Amino acid sequence: MKTKHYLTLASAALGMAAATTAQAEDGYDAPAGWPSPVVEYPMTTVRVDRLEYASPDKGGDALVWDFQAWYGGDFNRLYVEGEGQNVQGDGEDAEFESLNLLYSRLIADFWELQGGIGYQGGIATNDHPERYFGVISLESEYDLRLTQRLYLQPRTEIAVAASEVKEFGVGEGLNSVRVGMRLGYEVTRRFAPYVGAYWEKEYGDTADLSRAGGNNTEDTGVVAGVRLIF
């Protein structure tokens, strides 16, 4: 009896599916006022992707941060992103390498196209050089899971500038490439300490400006830090 009852329900379900398919093929629309079967709810998230202490081979140690806060849904979002550092022992104040306000659109799995305005300059003082600029970026991020909690995260940064800005050591064209890898452990989904290493190199006019200022154009280093999500 149980088997017969199951087959009856299955047949009814198949009949309803066929009727729904036929209605769809006939151009049937849901009645006005019916809710969408998929509703996108906007959310707010703050993510500190990097809060780390970096120790390069040739330069000074630095406290580095990289955060983003966004509001929106799965496809459209408004971002505030900030990245900067405070080099230890150089007598200079901490600075934003970039502070961006961006509109973001999901264009493929794990890929977002972003555009907006950006700021570069000091944080606490007014005597630091400042500039504002347009921003277009294409970002990708993907963790390589080793276990449920342990992961590897490759990281690649390519910096390109449309014009030269000597006071910031930025040349026209390709500025630099930085490649790194981090090994992290998620104590929770919102708290993950990590260690890593990186290699970076400057190119073209940017490298020439660095040499003129007595700075290195290529370096490697190690990092230790934590990733946070609120």
Side-chain angles (χ1 to χ4, degrees):
M1 293 296 294
K2 290 183 179 179
T3 303
K4 184 177 180 181
H5 185 54
Y6 171 79
L7 290 174
T8 300
L9 290 176
S11 299
L14 289 173
M16 292 175 64
T20 302
T21 302
Q23 289 174 343
E25 292 176 350
D26 292 339
Y28 175 80
D29 293 325
W34 277 31
S36 170
V38 179
V39 179
E40 185 177 10
Y41 293 100
M43 298 182 296
T44 300
T45 298
V46 178
R47 173 172 174 157
V48 182
D49 194 48
R50 289 188 298 163
L51 182 59
E52 65 188 27
Y53 194 85
S55 181
D57 291 336
K58 300 175 183 178
D61 292 356
L63 178 64
V64 180
W65 64 87
D66 181 355
F67 73 88
Q68 59 179 218
W70 59 263
Y71 173 80
D74 295 331
F75 295 93
N76 300 285
R77 296 177 181 178
L78 185 65
Y79 277 87
V80 175
E81 298 180 342
E83 182 176 355
Q85 65 176 353
N86 187 5
V87 179
Q88 307 298 293
D90 66 347
E92 299 289 337
D93 294 320
E95 65 173 342
F96 277 115
E97 294 181 2
S98 64
L99 180 62
N100 305 326
L101 177 63
L102 305 171
Y103 166 75
S104 178
R105 173 73 179 177
L106 184 71
I107 58 175
D109 291 345
F110 310 112
W111 288 90
E112 292 181 85
L113 181 61
Q114 302 177 338
I117 58 174
Y119 165 82
Q120 182 178 8
I123 296 176
T125 62
N126 296 324
D127 58 354
H128 197 284
E130 297 179 316
R131 68 171 178 140
Y132 296 87
F133 49 88
V135 176
I136 298 177
S137 63
L138 188 64
E139 297 188 358
S140 176
E141 180 179 298
Y142 188 73
D143 293 344
L144 304 175
R145 290 283 168 180
L146 304 180
T147 68
Q148 288 294 323
R149 295 182 179 271
L150 193 66
Y151 67 90
L152 278 174
Q153 186 183 76
R155 185 182 181 91
T156 301
E157 299 178 41
I158 301 175
V160 179
S163 60
E164 184 179 86
V165 187
K166 289 185 177 181
E167 57 267 34
F168 286 96
V170 174
E172 183 179 356
L174 177 63
N175 289 181
S176 62
V177 173
R178 176 171 173 146
V179 179
M181 181 73 74
R182 291 183 291 176
L183 176 65
Y185 182 82
E186 290 184 344
V187 178
T188 69
R189 292 296 184 185
R190 298 177 178 273
F191 178 77
Y194 62 84
V195 294
Y198 67 89
W199 167 83
E200 62 182 352
K201 183 176 176 61
E202 295 179 342
Y203 297 91
D205 295 340
T206 300
D208 293 339
L209 291 171
S210 292
R211 295 188 192 98
N215 299 317
N216 299 305
T217 62
E218 185 174 2
D219 204 354
T220 59
V222 295
V223 301
V226 62
R227 183 173 73 179
L228 304 167
I229 300 177
F230 303 96

